[in-house]
Amino acid sequence: MSPHNILALFLVTFINSGNGFSANEEDTIKSYIKTTMECKNITGLSVTMVRNGEVFTDGFGYSNIDTLTPVTSTTKMNIGSVTKTLTSMMWAVLISEAKDKNDTSINWNTKVHDIFGSNFILNDSCRTSLVSLEDFLSHRTGLESADVLLQAGEGGHRSRGDLINNLKELESIEEFRDVFSYSNIGFVMVAYLAEKIGKKPWETLMREKIFEPLNMTSTLFLTDKTFSELATPYLFDEEKGMEESDKSIYTVIDLFGPAGSVCSTADDMSNLLKYLTSGEYMDHLGIHDDVFNGLFKQKSILPKSIASRYNLEYPQFPISFDTYGYGMAWFLTKYRDLDMYFHTGVLYGFTSVLGFIPRKNISVFLNSNGLGVSGFRNIMLPTMYYIFDTLLELEPWLNDTTACSYPSPWNHIPEKNSTTRNETQINISETDRFIGNYSNSLYGEASVSVINETLTLQYGRLLHGTLSHHSQNIFNLTILEPLNKVLSTSMIVTFENFREKQFQRLRLDKHPIFDRVSSNVNRANDVGFSFLLYMIIVLNSLVLV
């Protein structure tokens, strides 16, 4: 049963009950959170709970460790991919407005090609002609994610239109509409389509259609100018403990904003939660019931590799958490056999989760600026389970002890396999076949050069590192700061299509492919990168001393 239909059945009972949060509930939840934060090395955490229209918000820990500034219900943090749920709700408003005007051309099944015409081209004619709004919203296009664009900071100077006009460069990794395949660039497409329909930038549409009607007055978008308004994000370093993140890895997200740039507070998010579960602000958004319910209809079946990131199975665990599908920017799951919808968000040091159980009119939102080494699976999700159990007036299956040991005693975290790669430095005299500038109309520019007698690669503002020979035309890219703090420390770089004494293509990991455009590397870039590399070596030597 859909959230709005459930609402119609139970709203009168909910309003009359006036059941807020008892002192015992608040105390037990606060105790659990404080215990978890202490033993799991969490910097700061904000909490939002809504039950029967009643709201509880609070903050724990610090938004900045150096100044000991506390996290409060008004502390702003990035909500990561929970942004996607808001982008999809904005589309629900646009579709409902079209229905009000008897415009049947705008709906969840609207074909993208019908809006953009011949300017819209994907890598095959089938996808180009058939792909729809809901295909992008439910991650079932089968196209690669292009996340390296975001990670490298490439594209911050480009428009969404420029990106969309080059989507033909995206390679297929799954069959069309066959497998759930998470894609951030798909939500760039969704936003650009909204801009075409709404005739305003995505940011403006979000403010007008979602933030202002829901009275989310402190909610903003992550940019270079707004970063200073947020809690300081922290990452965990095995030697140094919690360490402040590098600002540069956050402030290049503008282009991918529709997938993860919204920043909010516990108080503001309570208004979204009240809308989802108690119907407050319902008239303000004007979303039709059938359109709203469409958000939560299963569009994709989650592959086991994805579902296992979230699922708990009975009897291994005392309860079951069965994540079986995906709607439009919502994971579909059952918790204790109750329908539940949720989404998680991770942008390096910021981590969040939003979940709600419509039949019980309960919703929870958690946001952190530094989770330590354990991540959202072993901190955010268990905390959400504990809060749901408490608000459902059930005996929580977690307690202050298992909060720290989780996922033990039910499951043990496997030790990471340490694999040693065969790496050698290629003879400098042989590097001419690799060095040069490479280009891709979607992904931008990459360059390979020799700096301090080391073969290096630079891509975008952030992704750069040294290339160590693995075998034949394959190299390991050792990523340098700042991305080595947040990404896997190495990638595979493959050179292809050898002719005229040089390789003509460069493949970064499995995707994408860059074509050689020049054998002459921009020396100015070499000098800047060489200085950066030199400074990193010097600083590392000082640390070792």
Side-chain angles (χ1 to χ4, degrees):
M1 188 177 290
S2 69
H4 273 205
N5 289 342
I6 292 170
L7 178 65
L9 289 174
F10 295 103
L11 186 56
V12 174
T13 303
F14 290 156
I15 291 174
N16 290 339
S17 69
N19 183 19
F21 302 96
S22 70
N24 183 60
E25 288 173 331
E26 292 185 12
D27 289 344
T28 56
I29 289 171
K30 287 180 180 179
S31 174
Y32 179 91
I33 290 173
K34 289 175 181 177
T35 298
T36 302
M37 291 187 67
E38 184 175 347
C39 65
K40 296 282 191 179
N41 198 25
I42 304 173
T43 305
L45 183 75
S46 66
V47 180
T48 306
M49 306 183 298
V50 173
R51 180 175 62 187
N52 301 342
E54 298 290 332
V55 174
F56 172 89
T57 60
D58 205 350
F60 303 84
Y62 299 105
S63 65
N64 186 284
I65 296 174
D66 294 333
T67 61
L68 297 182
T69 304
V71 172
T72 69
S73 63
T74 61
T75 299
K76 299 184 181 83
M77 298 186 196
N78 176 257
I79 69 173
S81 287
V82 175
T83 297
K84 293 180 174 69
T85 67
L86 293 168
T87 297
S88 68
M89 283 182 62
M90 180 267 290
W91 256 106
V93 175
L94 292 177
I95 292 172
S96 297
E97 289 176 347
K99 287 173 69 74
D100 291 338
K101 298 174 184 176
N102 295 318
D103 181 357
T104 59
S105 66
I106 307 301
N107 53 61
W108 294 125
N109 296 311
T110 293
K111 291 183 173 57
V112 177
H113 188 269
D114 291 345
I115 304 299
F116 289 119
S118 59
N119 291 330
F120 179 72
I121 303 173
L122 297 178
N123 67 352
D124 65 73
S125 57
C126 175
R127 282 185 176 86
T128 299
S129 60
L130 296 179
V131 72
S132 66
L133 172 63
E134 73 174 14
D135 291 324
F136 281 108
L137 285 168
S138 58
H139 303 289
R140 63 181 193 181
T141 66
L143 298 172
E144 61 179 317
S145 70
D147 280 353
V148 70
L149 264 169
L150 168 64
Q151 295 159 351
E154 170 62 34
H157 57 284
R158 299 163 67 184
S159 68
R160 291 186 188 118
D162 177 52
L163 236 62
I164 301 312
N165 290 337
N166 289 289
L167 285 185
K168 61 183 180 295
E169 297 291 341
L170 289 177
E171 296 186 28
S172 301
I173 56 173
E174 302 287 356
E175 293 297 320
F176 180 47
R177 292 180 180 169
D178 189 38
V179 178
F180 174 90
S181 182
Y182 200 78
S183 172
N184 284 305
I185 201 171
F187 271 74
V188 180
M189 176 71 249
V190 164
Y192 190 61
L193 186 60
E195 292 176 345
K196 182 78 171 180
I197 299 298
K199 303 186 186 309
K200 295 177 181 178
W202 168 78
E203 291 84 354
T204 302
L205 291 171
M206 290 288 282
R207 290 190 189 97
E208 292 181 356
K209 308 300 183 184
I210 302 295
F211 301 162
E212 292 172 6
L214 294 182
N215 199 30
M216 298 173 71
T217 57
S218 296
T219 301
L220 45 78
F221 303 101
L222 176 56
T223 67
D224 184 63
K225 294 179 180 178
T226 61
F227 184 80
S228 61
E229 298 183 41
L230 309 183
T232 303
Y234 291 88
L235 298 170
F236 182 77
D237 184 275
E238 291 185 359
E239 295 181 356
K240 302 176 183 178
M242 297 304 286
E243 189 175 35
E244 186 173 332
S245 302
D246 190 315
K247 172 186 173 181
S248 65
I249 64 178
Y250 300 91
T251 53
V252 293
I253 193 177
D254 304 49
L255 197 65
F256 278 78
S261 75
V262 169
C263 306
S264 194
T265 68
D267 286 346
D268 269 17
M269 291 299 289
S270 71
N271 293 337
L272 172 64
L273 268 56
K274 282 192 289 185
Y275 173 81
L276 291 172
T277 52
S278 69
E280 194 165 335
Y281 301 103
M282 186 179 291
D283 294 338
H284 292 64
L285 292 188
I287 299 176
H288 292 210
D289 278 356
D290 62 324
V291 177
F292 181 85
N293 297 338
L295 293 168
F296 307 96
K297 289 182 179 178
Q298 183 173 351
K299 299 298 178 182
S300 300
I301 298 174
L302 294 186
K304 188 174 181 180
S305 60
I306 301 294
S308 62
R309 298 177 186 176
Y310 308 102
N311 284 356
L312 307 179
E313 295 183 3
Y314 182 85
Q316 179 183 9
F317 285 85
I319 53 90
S320 64
F321 184 74
D322 180 20
T323 306
Y324 57 87
Y326 196 86
M328 285 182 278
W330 289 99
F331 286 99
L332 314 180
T333 191
K334 284 185 178 290
Y335 180 71
R336 291 184 178 268
D337 292 326
L338 292 167
D339 286 326
M340 186 184 118
Y341 309 113
F342 78 100
H343 211 289
T344 59
V346 178
L347 184 63
Y348 308 137
F350 292 111
T351 310
S352 65
V353 62
L354 186 161
F356 71 103
I357 301 175
R359 180 172 287 277
K360 297 297 183 179
N361 196 34
I362 293 172
S363 49
V364 173
F365 176 73
L366 304 170
N367 211 2
S368 175
N369 64 326
L371 283 188
V373 70
S374 299
F376 77 91
R377 290 179 65 181
N378 297 327
I379 296 175
M380 301 297 262
L381 291 180
T383 303
M384 183 176 70
Y385 305 146
Y386 185 88
I387 293 174
F388 274 134
D389 283 349
T390 303
L391 300 187
L392 288 167
E393 299 179 348
L394 299 171
E395 182 68 28
W397 58 278
L398 288 156
N399 54 43
D400 285 3
T401 300
T402 50
C404 295
S405 65
Y406 187 89
S408 297
W410 306 285
N411 193 18
H412 296 282
I413 303 175
E415 293 184 6
K416 292 182 180 179
N417 293 326
S418 57
T419 56
T420 304
R421 285 178 172 167
N422 240 345
E423 296 184 357
T424 60
Q425 289 296 328
I426 195 164
N427 192 309
I428 295 301
S429 63
E430 302 175 13
T431 57
D432 283 351
R433 50 187 164 163
F434 305 107
I435 63 174
N437 293 316
Y438 297 79
S439 179
N440 179 292
S441 61
L442 173 65
Y443 288 93
E445 312 296 325
S447 65
V448 177
S449 58
V450 174
I451 298 174
N452 295 336
E453 299 188 349
T454 302
L455 197 64
T456 64
L457 179 143
Q458 184 166 9
Y459 170 49
R461 287 169 54 187
L462 300 176
L463 202 163
H464 45 261
T466 58
L467 291 166
S468 300
H469 192 225
H470 181 268
S471 61
Q472 296 181 334
N473 58 329
I474 301 173
F475 289 76
N476 294 322
L477 173 66
T478 301
I479 299 172
L480 300 176
E481 293 184 354
L483 285 187
N484 64 337
K485 300 287 187 181
V486 293
L487 297 183
S488 171
T489 55
S490 64
M491 291 183 176
I492 297 295
V493 174
T494 306
F495 292 89
E496 302 174 346
N497 192 16
F498 186 77
R499 60 184 172 81
E500 299 177 1
K501 298 182 180 181
Q502 290 182 319
F503 286 99
Q504 302 300 312
R505 284 184 163 184
L506 178 156
R507 186 184 289 270
L508 186 58
D509 265 5
K510 294 181 179 179
H511 313 279
I513 294 176
F514 297 83
D515 292 311
R516 177 184 291 276
V517 292
S518 168
S519 299
N520 299 316
V521 178
N522 186 325
R523 303 310 301 177
N525 287 342
D526 278 4
V527 171
F529 182 66
S530 179
F531 177 74
L532 174 64
L533 190 62
Y534 172 75
M535 289 304 297
I536 290 171
I537 293 170
V538 169
L539 290 173
N540 283 343
S541 65
L542 290 175
V543 171
L544 291 174
V545 171

